Amino acid sequence: MSHQDASASSPSSSLSPVPVGAYDPPYYAVVFTSVKTQDGEFGEYGATNERMEELVREIPGYLGMDHAGSPGGLSVTVGYFRDADAVEEWRSNAEHLAAQKRGRAEWYQRYTLHVAKVERSHSFERNHRFEHGHG
Amino acid sequence: MSHQDASASSPSSSLSPVPVGAYDPPYYAVVFTSVKTQDGEFGEYGATNERMEELVREIPGYLGMDHAGSPGGLSVTVGYFRDADAVEEWRSNAEHLAAQKRGRAEWYQRYTLHVAKVERSHSFERNHRFEHGHG
């Protein structure tokens, strides 16, 4: 995560995104894969998403989030958490539950959620000739 | 990935992509998040990727793959496997190892790999009023 802050604030970087790094296992990865409806009302979708990003950062044990997607295509979001308690706190957050309900009612055609305990992780960074692994 | 090809080649495209569903846990999710180099030689990248997709389907216990990304942005690929043996077989496949080496040498600016055991999963599909959970 420190990489992210560093490159985001660096003027010489061309601001390429930085994936969440390899933490010491065990930790949790929550994989959310979704496809949006074609006829939904998305007026409040963006604001809701931003609010969820703000909220999740308040969860003790939240480690970071990776997101990729293209309009009309599959969207993949992976949230990382220190332990199962942190995942549960996020899952059962009242505002998050309300947003999930709205997502099912208005925004998502389909989605899958996989809650998984990371056993091994590894990261690579070219410029630093950096390679770092756990597990 | 085949979903994406299908929707990319379909002009009328109501072929929206379908995320991999919720399997009975435990199973494994291998999360690969990457950012490509800006000055790499990508002439053989597409063919190598296609070959890897072909190869991974031959691994007994391979369950599927989700991918999302945008040009110049973060790319997130999640491969699903029945058990740790299947993950290991894919990880140690000779042709895959050669492709990984090439990825570090030529294509990736940075990446992170998280190998995780899925403990709980859930899927939702709107048209079928389908909601299905495990764990």
Side-chain angles (χ1 to χ4, degrees), chain A residues 78-92:
Chain A
V78 187
Y80 305 91
F81 298 86
R82 188 71 269 173
D83 53 31
D85 286 348
V87 174
E88 180 56 25
E89 186 167 339
W90 175 232
R91 191 183 73 85
S92 60

PDB file of all heavy atoms in Angstrom, chain A residues 78-92:
ATOM      1  N   VAL A  78     -11.396  -7.328  -5.550  1.00  0.00           N
ATOM      2  CA  VAL A  78     -10.867  -8.188  -4.494  1.00  0.00           C
ATOM      3  C   VAL A  78     -10.517  -7.313  -3.298  1.00  0.00           C
ATOM      4  O   VAL A  78      -9.708  -6.396  -3.417  1.00  0.00           O
ATOM      5  CB  VAL A  78      -9.614  -8.965  -4.952  1.00  0.00           C
ATOM      6  CG1 VAL A  78      -9.206  -9.987  -3.884  1.00  0.00           C
ATOM      7  CG2 VAL A  78      -9.842  -9.657  -6.288  1.00  0.00           C
ATOM      8  N   GLY A  79     -11.161  -7.574  -2.172  1.00  0.00           N
ATOM      9  CA  GLY A  79     -10.847  -6.867  -0.932  1.00  0.00           C
ATOM     10  C   GLY A  79      -9.999  -7.773  -0.051  1.00  0.00           C
ATOM     11  O   GLY A  79     -10.223  -8.986  -0.011  1.00  0.00           O
ATOM     12  N   TYR A  80      -9.015  -7.186   0.632  1.00  0.00           N
ATOM     13  CA  TYR A  80      -8.115  -7.969   1.483  1.00  0.00           C
ATOM     14  C   TYR A  80      -8.298  -7.547   2.939  1.00  0.00           C
ATOM     15  O   TYR A  80      -8.392  -6.342   3.226  1.00  0.00           O
ATOM     16  CB  TYR A  80      -6.662  -7.755   1.047  1.00  0.00           C
ATOM     17  CG  TYR A  80      -6.447  -8.055  -0.421  1.00  0.00           C
ATOM     18  CD1 TYR A  80      -6.580  -7.062  -1.384  1.00  0.00           C
ATOM     19  CD2 TYR A  80      -6.159  -9.354  -0.847  1.00  0.00           C
ATOM     20  CE1 TYR A  80      -6.416  -7.337  -2.730  1.00  0.00           C
ATOM     21  CE2 TYR A  80      -5.996  -9.640  -2.199  1.00  0.00           C
ATOM     22  CZ  TYR A  80      -6.127  -8.628  -3.132  1.00  0.00           C
ATOM     23  OH  TYR A  80      -5.971  -8.902  -4.475  1.00  0.00           O
ATOM     24  N   PHE A  81      -8.334  -8.537   3.809  1.00  0.00           N
ATOM     25  CA  PHE A  81      -8.584  -8.299   5.235  1.00  0.00           C
ATOM     26  C   PHE A  81      -7.635  -9.154   6.066  1.00  0.00           C
ATOM     27  O   PHE A  81      -7.281 -10.272   5.675  1.00  0.00           O
ATOM     28  CB  PHE A  81     -10.027  -8.668   5.591  1.00  0.00           C
ATOM     29  CG  PHE A  81     -11.058  -7.840   4.870  1.00  0.00           C
ATOM     30  CD1 PHE A  81     -11.509  -8.204   3.603  1.00  0.00           C
ATOM     31  CD2 PHE A  81     -11.562  -6.680   5.449  1.00  0.00           C
ATOM     32  CE1 PHE A  81     -12.456  -7.435   2.927  1.00  0.00           C
ATOM     33  CE2 PHE A  81     -12.511  -5.903   4.779  1.00  0.00           C
ATOM     34  CZ  PHE A  81     -12.957  -6.277   3.514  1.00  0.00           C
ATOM     35  N   ARG A  82      -7.279  -8.618   7.226  1.00  0.00           N
ATOM     36  CA  ARG A  82      -6.299  -9.292   8.086  1.00  0.00           C
ATOM     37  C   ARG A  82      -6.796 -10.643   8.591  1.00  0.00           C
ATOM     38  O   ARG A  82      -6.036 -11.602   8.682  1.00  0.00           O
ATOM     39  CB  ARG A  82      -5.957  -8.361   9.263  1.00  0.00           C
ATOM     40  CG  ARG A  82      -4.838  -8.789  10.160  1.00  0.00           C
ATOM     41  CD  ARG A  82      -3.466  -8.685   9.495  1.00  0.00           C
ATOM     42  NE  ARG A  82      -3.067  -9.902   8.831  1.00  0.00           N
ATOM     43  CZ  ARG A  82      -1.984 -10.033   8.077  1.00  0.00           C
ATOM     44  NH1 ARG A  82      -1.188  -9.018   7.861  1.00  0.00           N
ATOM     45  NH2 ARG A  82      -1.697 -11.172   7.508  1.00  0.00           N
ATOM     46  N   ASP A  83      -8.086 -10.727   8.922  1.00  0.00           N
ATOM     47  CA  ASP A  83      -8.601 -11.975   9.486  1.00  0.00           C
ATOM     48  C   ASP A  83     -10.106 -12.110   9.252  1.00  0.00           C
ATOM     49  O   ASP A  83     -10.742 -11.199   8.691  1.00  0.00           O
ATOM     50  CB  ASP A  83      -8.263 -12.081  10.978  1.00  0.00           C
ATOM     51  CG  ASP A  83      -8.727 -10.856  11.756  1.00  0.00           C
ATOM     52  OD1 ASP A  83      -9.749 -10.248  11.376  1.00  0.00           O
ATOM     53  OD2 ASP A  83      -8.058 -10.497  12.748  1.00  0.00           O
ATOM     54  N   ALA A  84     -10.650 -13.243   9.681  1.00  0.00           N
ATOM     55  CA  ALA A  84     -12.071 -13.533   9.444  1.00  0.00           C
ATOM     56  C   ALA A  84     -12.976 -12.545  10.183  1.00  0.00           C
ATOM     57  O   ALA A  84     -14.066 -12.216   9.707  1.00  0.00           O
ATOM     58  CB  ALA A  84     -12.388 -14.973   9.865  1.00  0.00           C
ATOM     59  N   ASP A  85     -12.518 -12.059  11.333  1.00  0.00           N
ATOM     60  CA  ASP A  85     -13.322 -11.084  12.075  1.00  0.00           C
ATOM     61  C   ASP A  85     -13.510  -9.797  11.270  1.00  0.00           C
ATOM     62  O   ASP A  85     -14.586  -9.202  11.272  1.00  0.00           O
ATOM     63  CB  ASP A  85     -12.656 -10.735  13.416  1.00  0.00           C
ATOM     64  CG  ASP A  85     -12.784 -11.862  14.426  1.00  0.00           C
ATOM     65  OD1 ASP A  85     -13.572 -12.798  14.170  1.00  0.00           O
ATOM     66  OD2 ASP A  85     -12.090 -11.805  15.459  1.00  0.00           O
ATOM     67  N   ALA A  86     -12.456  -9.381  10.608  1.00  0.00           N
ATOM     68  CA  ALA A  86     -12.541  -8.159   9.797  1.00  0.00           C
ATOM     69  C   ALA A  86     -13.501  -8.366   8.624  1.00  0.00           C
ATOM     70  O   ALA A  86     -14.304  -7.487   8.295  1.00  0.00           O
ATOM     71  CB  ALA A  86     -11.148  -7.764   9.301  1.00  0.00           C
ATOM     72  N   VAL A  87     -13.439  -9.542   7.989  1.00  0.00           N
ATOM     73  CA  VAL A  87     -14.369  -9.859   6.895  1.00  0.00           C
ATOM     74  C   VAL A  87     -15.801  -9.815   7.408  1.00  0.00           C
ATOM     75  O   VAL A  87     -16.695  -9.234   6.775  1.00  0.00           O
ATOM     76  CB  VAL A  87     -14.073 -11.251   6.290  1.00  0.00           C
ATOM     77  CG1 VAL A  87     -15.134 -11.631   5.261  1.00  0.00           C
ATOM     78  CG2 VAL A  87     -12.679 -11.299   5.667  1.00  0.00           C
ATOM     79  N   GLU A  88     -16.009 -10.407   8.571  1.00  0.00           N
ATOM     80  CA  GLU A  88     -17.355 -10.475   9.141  1.00  0.00           C
ATOM     81  C   GLU A  88     -17.867  -9.083   9.516  1.00  0.00           C
ATOM     82  O   GLU A  88     -19.040  -8.770   9.297  1.00  0.00           O
ATOM     83  CB  GLU A  88     -17.344 -11.393  10.376  1.00  0.00           C
ATOM     84  CG  GLU A  88     -18.683 -11.549  11.054  1.00  0.00           C
ATOM     85  CD  GLU A  88     -19.794 -12.045  10.130  1.00  0.00           C
ATOM     86  OE1 GLU A  88     -19.485 -12.717   9.122  1.00  0.00           O
ATOM     87  OE2 GLU A  88     -20.967 -11.727  10.399  1.00  0.00           O
ATOM     88  N   GLU A  89     -16.982  -8.277  10.029  1.00  0.00           N
ATOM     89  CA  GLU A  89     -17.402  -6.916  10.386  1.00  0.00           C
ATOM     90  C   GLU A  89     -17.846  -6.150   9.143  1.00  0.00           C
ATOM     91  O   GLU A  89     -18.854  -5.435   9.160  1.00  0.00           O
ATOM     92  CB  GLU A  89     -16.259  -6.185  11.106  1.00  0.00           C
ATOM     93  CG  GLU A  89     -16.707  -4.825  11.616  1.00  0.00           C
ATOM     94  CD  GLU A  89     -15.734  -4.190  12.604  1.00  0.00           C
ATOM     95  OE1 GLU A  89     -14.913  -4.922  13.212  1.00  0.00           O
ATOM     96  OE2 GLU A  89     -15.802  -2.952  12.768  1.00  0.00           O
ATOM     97  N   TRP A  90     -17.118  -6.330   8.057  1.00  0.00           N
ATOM     98  CA  TRP A  90     -17.487  -5.665   6.813  1.00  0.00           C
ATOM     99  C   TRP A  90     -18.787  -6.248   6.246  1.00  0.00           C
ATOM    100  O   TRP A  90     -19.687  -5.525   5.832  1.00  0.00           O
ATOM    101  CB  TRP A  90     -16.348  -5.756   5.812  1.00  0.00           C
ATOM    102  CG  TRP A  90     -16.677  -5.199   4.459  1.00  0.00           C
ATOM    103  CD1 TRP A  90     -16.519  -5.818   3.251  1.00  0.00           C
ATOM    104  CD2 TRP A  90     -17.189  -3.883   4.160  1.00  0.00           C
ATOM    105  NE1 TRP A  90     -16.926  -4.994   2.238  1.00  0.00           N
ATOM    106  CE2 TRP A  90     -17.344  -3.795   2.760  1.00  0.00           C
ATOM    107  CE3 TRP A  90     -17.559  -2.779   4.946  1.00  0.00           C
ATOM    108  CZ2 TRP A  90     -17.843  -2.655   2.126  1.00  0.00           C
ATOM    109  CZ3 TRP A  90     -18.056  -1.639   4.309  1.00  0.00           C
ATOM    110  CH2 TRP A  90     -18.185  -1.596   2.916  1.00  0.00           C
ATOM    111  N   ARG A  91     -18.904  -7.570   6.277  1.00  0.00           N
ATOM    112  CA  ARG A  91     -20.079  -8.239   5.742  1.00  0.00           C
ATOM    113  C   ARG A  91     -21.351  -7.792   6.464  1.00  0.00           C
ATOM    114  O   ARG A  91     -22.399  -7.634   5.844  1.00  0.00           O
ATOM    115  CB  ARG A  91     -19.930  -9.757   5.898  1.00  0.00           C
ATOM    116  CG  ARG A  91     -20.960 -10.578   5.140  1.00  0.00           C
ATOM    117  CD  ARG A  91     -20.789 -12.066   5.418  1.00  0.00           C
ATOM    118  NE  ARG A  91     -21.243 -12.427   6.749  1.00  0.00           N
ATOM    119  CZ  ARG A  91     -22.518 -12.718   7.061  1.00  0.00           C
ATOM    120  NH1 ARG A  91     -23.438 -12.722   6.117  1.00  0.00           N
ATOM    121  NH2 ARG A  91     -22.845 -13.039   8.290  1.00  0.00           N
ATOM    122  N   SER A  92     -21.252  -7.604   7.769  1.00  0.00           N
ATOM    123  CA  SER A  92     -22.447  -7.335   8.553  1.00  0.00           C
ATOM    124  C   SER A  92     -22.661  -5.849   8.849  1.00  0.00           C
ATOM    125  O   SER A  92     -23.586  -5.494   9.572  1.00  0.00           O
ATOM    126  CB  SER A  92     -22.380  -8.126   9.865  1.00  0.00           C
ATOM    127  OG  SER A  92     -21.232  -7.748  10.600  1.00  0.00           O
TER     128      SER A  92
END
